[in-house]
PDB file of all heavy atoms in Angstrom:
ATOM      1  N   LEU A 330    -188.842-257.990   9.212  1.00 97.00           N
ATOM      2  CA  LEU A 330    -188.717-256.882  10.246  1.00 97.00           C
ATOM      3  C   LEU A 330    -187.944-255.709   9.818  1.00 97.00           C
ATOM      4  O   LEU A 330    -188.315-254.553   9.998  1.00 97.00           O
ATOM      5  CB  LEU A 330    -188.145-257.541  11.542  1.00 97.00           C
ATOM      6  CG  LEU A 330    -188.999-258.501  12.290  1.00 97.00           C
ATOM      7  CD1 LEU A 330    -188.157-259.123  13.461  1.00 97.00           C
ATOM      8  CD2 LEU A 330    -190.271-257.888  12.829  1.00 97.00           C
ATOM      9  N   GLY A 331    -186.879-255.992   9.096  1.00 97.00           N
ATOM     10  CA  GLY A 331    -186.035-254.923   8.643  1.00 97.00           C
ATOM     11  C   GLY A 331    -186.670-254.005   7.554  1.00 97.00           C
ATOM     12  O   GLY A 331    -186.563-252.775   7.609  1.00 97.00           O
ATOM     13  N   LEU A 332    -187.392-254.677   6.624  1.00 97.00           N
ATOM     14  CA  LEU A 332    -188.087-253.888   5.586  1.00 97.00           C
ATOM     15  C   LEU A 332    -189.154-252.968   6.181  1.00 97.00           C
ATOM     16  O   LEU A 332    -189.318-251.841   5.773  1.00 97.00           O
ATOM     17  CB  LEU A 332    -188.631-254.806   4.542  1.00 97.00           C
ATOM     18  CG  LEU A 332    -187.600-255.465   3.571  1.00 97.00           C
ATOM     19  CD1 LEU A 332    -188.343-256.487   2.690  1.00 97.00           C
ATOM     20  CD2 LEU A 332    -186.875-254.438   2.762  1.00 97.00           C
ATOM     21  N   ARG A 333    -189.893-253.560   7.084  1.00 98.00           N
ATOM     22  CA  ARG A 333    -190.952-252.761   7.749  1.00 98.00           C
ATOM     23  C   ARG A 333    -190.352-251.608   8.504  1.00 98.00           C
ATOM     24  O   ARG A 333    -190.880-250.451   8.408  1.00 98.00           O
ATOM     25  CB  ARG A 333    -191.775-253.637   8.645  1.00 98.00           C
ATOM     26  CG  ARG A 333    -192.764-252.839   9.452  1.00 98.00           C
ATOM     27  CD  ARG A 333    -193.485-253.608  10.572  1.00 98.00           C
ATOM     28  NE  ARG A 333    -194.345-252.765  11.381  1.00 98.00           N
ATOM     29  CZ  ARG A 333    -193.881-252.042  12.425  1.00 98.00           C
ATOM     30  NH1 ARG A 333    -192.609-252.118  12.781  1.00 98.00           N
ATOM     31  NH2 ARG A 333    -194.712-251.287  13.097  1.00 98.00           N
ATOM     32  N   LEU A 334    -189.301-251.856   9.282  1.00 97.00           N
ATOM     33  CA  LEU A 334    -188.720-250.776  10.029  1.00 97.00           C
ATOM     34  C   LEU A 334    -188.161-249.715   9.155  1.00 97.00           C
ATOM     35  O   LEU A 334    -188.268-248.484   9.516  1.00 97.00           O
ATOM     36  CB  LEU A 334    -187.630-251.406  10.954  1.00 97.00           C
ATOM     37  CG  LEU A 334    -186.949-250.303  11.917  1.00 97.00           C
ATOM     38  CD1 LEU A 334    -187.953-249.722  12.857  1.00 97.00           C
ATOM     39  CD2 LEU A 334    -185.788-251.033  12.659  1.00 97.00           C
ATOM     40  N   LEU A 335    -187.571-250.098   8.067  1.00 98.00           N
ATOM     41  CA  LEU A 335    -186.996-249.118   7.166  1.00 98.00           C
ATOM     42  C   LEU A 335    -188.053-248.209   6.586  1.00 98.00           C
ATOM     43  O   LEU A 335    -187.918-247.004   6.535  1.00 98.00           O
ATOM     44  CB  LEU A 335    -186.218-249.850   6.001  1.00 98.00           C
ATOM     45  CG  LEU A 335    -185.628-248.927   4.941  1.00 98.00           C
ATOM     46  CD1 LEU A 335    -184.534-248.010   5.560  1.00 98.00           C
ATOM     47  CD2 LEU A 335    -184.992-249.780   3.863  1.00 98.00           C
ATOM     48  N   LEU A 336    -189.156-248.842   6.159  1.00 98.00           N
ATOM     49  CA  LEU A 336    -190.292-248.049   5.552  1.00 98.00           C
ATOM     50  C   LEU A 336    -190.881-247.133   6.678  1.00 98.00           C
ATOM     51  O   LEU A 336    -191.186-245.962   6.400  1.00 98.00           O
ATOM     52  CB  LEU A 336    -191.335-248.909   4.949  1.00 98.00           C
ATOM     53  CG  LEU A 336    -192.597-248.244   4.416  1.00 98.00           C
ATOM     54  CD1 LEU A 336    -192.191-247.266   3.259  1.00 98.00           C
ATOM     55  CD2 LEU A 336    -193.581-249.242   3.867  1.00 98.00           C
ATOM     56  N   LEU A 337    -191.129-247.675   7.828  1.00 98.00           N
ATOM     57  CA  LEU A 337    -191.701-246.941   8.908  1.00 98.00           C
ATOM     58  C   LEU A 337    -190.839-245.732   9.340  1.00 98.00           C
ATOM     59  O   LEU A 337    -191.397-244.560   9.390  1.00 98.00           O
ATOM     60  CB  LEU A 337    -191.926-247.876  10.130  1.00 98.00           C
ATOM     61  CG  LEU A 337    -192.619-247.276  11.365  1.00 98.00           C
ATOM     62  CD1 LEU A 337    -193.430-248.369  12.068  1.00 98.00           C
ATOM     63  CD2 LEU A 337    -191.611-246.675  12.372  1.00 98.00           C
ATOM     64  N   LEU A 338    -189.602-245.928   9.494  1.00 98.00           N
ATOM     65  CA  LEU A 338    -188.700-244.812   9.885  1.00 98.00           C
ATOM     66  C   LEU A 338    -188.642-243.771   8.776  1.00 98.00           C
ATOM     67  O   LEU A 338    -188.581-242.576   9.028  1.00 98.00           O
ATOM     68  CB  LEU A 338    -187.311-245.304  10.202  1.00 98.00           C
ATOM     69  CG  LEU A 338    -187.154-246.072  11.524  1.00 98.00           C
ATOM     70  CD1 LEU A 338    -185.749-246.632  11.628  1.00 98.00           C
ATOM     71  CD2 LEU A 338    -187.468-245.204  12.723  1.00 98.00           C
ATOM     72  N   THR A 339    -188.664-244.209   7.506  1.00 98.00           N
ATOM     73  CA  THR A 339    -188.629-243.281   6.394  1.00 98.00           C
ATOM     74  C   THR A 339    -189.847-242.361   6.407  1.00 98.00           C
ATOM     75  O   THR A 339    -189.716-241.110   6.286  1.00 98.00           O
ATOM     76  CB  THR A 339    -188.516-243.981   5.034  1.00 98.00           C
ATOM     77  OG1 THR A 339    -187.344-244.832   5.009  1.00 98.00           O
ATOM     78  CG2 THR A 339    -188.470-243.014   3.858  1.00 98.00           C
ATOM     79  N   LEU A 340    -191.031-242.968   6.519  1.00 98.00           N
ATOM     80  CA  LEU A 340    -192.291-242.196   6.512  1.00 98.00           C
ATOM     81  C   LEU A 340    -192.442-241.345   7.757  1.00 98.00           C
ATOM     82  O   LEU A 340    -192.781-240.207   7.724  1.00 98.00           O
ATOM     83  CB  LEU A 340    -193.477-243.130   6.333  1.00 98.00           C
ATOM     84  CG  LEU A 340    -193.564-243.896   5.052  1.00 98.00           C
ATOM     85  CD1 LEU A 340    -194.739-244.853   5.016  1.00 98.00           C
ATOM     86  CD2 LEU A 340    -193.610-242.989   3.802  1.00 98.00           C
ATOM     87  N   TRP A 341    -192.097-241.901   8.946  1.00 98.00           N
ATOM     88  CA  TRP A 341    -192.279-241.194  10.182  1.00 98.00           C
ATOM     89  C   TRP A 341    -191.284-240.029  10.223  1.00 98.00           C
ATOM     90  O   TRP A 341    -191.615-239.003  10.830  1.00 98.00           O
ATOM     91  CB  TRP A 341    -192.103-242.128  11.337  1.00 98.00           C
ATOM     92  CG  TRP A 341    -193.239-242.986  11.648  1.00 98.00           C
ATOM     93  CD1 TRP A 341    -194.152-243.532  10.763  1.00 98.00           C
ATOM     94  CD2 TRP A 341    -193.724-243.330  12.972  1.00 98.00           C
ATOM     95  NE1 TRP A 341    -195.146-244.295  11.408  1.00 98.00           N
ATOM     96  CE2 TRP A 341    -194.905-244.214  12.748  1.00 98.00           C
ATOM     97  CE3 TRP A 341    -193.293-243.186  14.245  1.00 98.00           C
ATOM     98  CZ2 TRP A 341    -195.595-244.740  13.802  1.00 98.00           C
ATOM     99  CZ3 TRP A 341    -193.971-243.793  15.270  1.00 98.00           C
ATOM    100  CH2 TRP A 341    -195.138-244.523  15.086  1.00 98.00           C
ATOM    101  N   HIS A 342    -190.109-240.165   9.649  1.00 98.00           N
ATOM    102  CA  HIS A 342    -189.125-239.110   9.626  1.00 98.00           C
ATOM    103  C   HIS A 342    -189.719-237.914   8.853  1.00 98.00           C
ATOM    104  O   HIS A 342    -189.612-236.749   9.313  1.00 98.00           O
ATOM    105  CB  HIS A 342    -187.854-239.530   8.987  1.00 98.00           C
ATOM    106  CG  HIS A 342    -186.875-238.471   8.637  1.00 98.00           C
ATOM    107  ND1 HIS A 342    -186.214-237.695   9.572  1.00 98.00           N
ATOM    108  CD2 HIS A 342    -186.552-237.963   7.446  1.00 98.00           C
ATOM    109  CE1 HIS A 342    -185.465-236.835   8.974  1.00 98.00           C
ATOM    110  NE2 HIS A 342    -185.657-236.953   7.703  1.00 98.00           N
ATOM    111  N   LYS A 343    -190.349-238.142   7.775  1.00 97.00           N
ATOM    112  CA  LYS A 343    -190.934-237.102   6.989  1.00 97.00           C
ATOM    113  C   LYS A 343    -192.093-236.460   7.662  1.00 97.00           C
ATOM    114  O   LYS A 343    -192.299-235.244   7.685  1.00 97.00           O
ATOM    115  CB  LYS A 343    -191.390-237.663   5.576  1.00 97.00           C
ATOM    116  CG  LYS A 343    -190.246-238.109   4.693  1.00 97.00           C
ATOM    117  CD  LYS A 343    -190.744-238.539   3.357  1.00 97.00           C
ATOM    118  CE  LYS A 343    -191.232-237.362   2.494  1.00 97.00           C
ATOM    119  NZ  LYS A 343    -190.150-236.460   2.139  1.00 97.00           N
ATOM    120  N   VAL A 344    -192.959-237.278   8.353  1.00 98.00           N
ATOM    121  CA  VAL A 344    -194.101-236.692   9.071  1.00 98.00           C
ATOM    122  C   VAL A 344    -193.601-235.846  10.284  1.00 98.00           C
ATOM    123  O   VAL A 344    -194.166-234.807  10.526  1.00 98.00           O
ATOM    124  CB  VAL A 344    -195.033-237.837   9.531  1.00 98.00           C
ATOM    125  CG1 VAL A 344    -196.192-237.189  10.386  1.00 98.00           C
ATOM    126  CG2 VAL A 344    -195.683-238.502   8.338  1.00 98.00           C
ATOM    127  N   ALA A 345    -192.590-236.379  10.940  1.00 98.00           N
ATOM    128  CA  ALA A 345    -192.078-235.629  12.096  1.00 98.00           C
ATOM    129  C   ALA A 345    -191.558-234.290  11.613  1.00 98.00           C
ATOM    130  O   ALA A 345    -191.715-233.273  12.370  1.00 98.00           O
ATOM    131  CB  ALA A 345    -190.936-236.416  12.738  1.00 98.00           C
TER     132      ALA A 345
END
Side-chain angles (χ1 to χ4, degrees):
L330 291 174
L332 288 174
R333 174 190 173 273
L334 182 61
L335 179 62
L336 178 60
L337 184 147
L338 287 175
T339 300
L340 296 178
W341 281 37
H342 168 69
K343 292 183 72 65
V344 176

